Amino acid sequence: DLEMITARTLLIWGTEDKILPVKHATHFSSIRNLTVELWPETGHCPHTESPLNIVSRIAYFIAENELEAMVE
């Protein structure tokens, strides 16, 4: 059902994730407007490992996409 997702989507994946290795990121490729970012030296919980970086990146992603939506 992932192909039904049409919203712009940001997937942040830690390259050091031992629970779901980065190779599993390909399972999300059917999301149409997907941006995948592989974060080095980051594990399964980037939101607890680098909370300020995550918040900053998500805020930028939202702002960037709001601007694109205004132009469209």
Side-chain angles (χ1 to χ4, degrees):
D1 292 335
L2 293 175
E3 64 275 355
M4 295 175 65
I5 299 172
T6 59
R8 292 179 177 103
T9 304
L10 174 63
L11 177 61
I12 298 172
W13 207 296
T15 61
E16 304 303 315
D17 190 334
K18 304 296 185 222
I19 296 171
L20 288 172
V22 73
K23 67 180 182 182
H24 294 287
T26 60
H27 295 292
F28 296 90
S29 63
S30 61
I31 297 174
R32 293 179 212 174
N33 295 304
L34 178 65
T35 299
V36 178
E37 293 186 3
L38 303 180
W39 284 27
E41 300 176 20
T42 304
H44 186 70
C45 297
H47 57 285
T48 59
E49 295 174 46
S50 301
L52 295 178
N53 290 337
I54 288 288
V55 168
S56 176
R57 181 59 187 108
I58 292 170
Y60 182 81
F61 182 79
I62 291 169
E64 180 180 54
N65 287 295
E66 285 179 346
L67 283 174
E68 282 183 28
M70 290 171 58
V71 172
E72 292 176 352

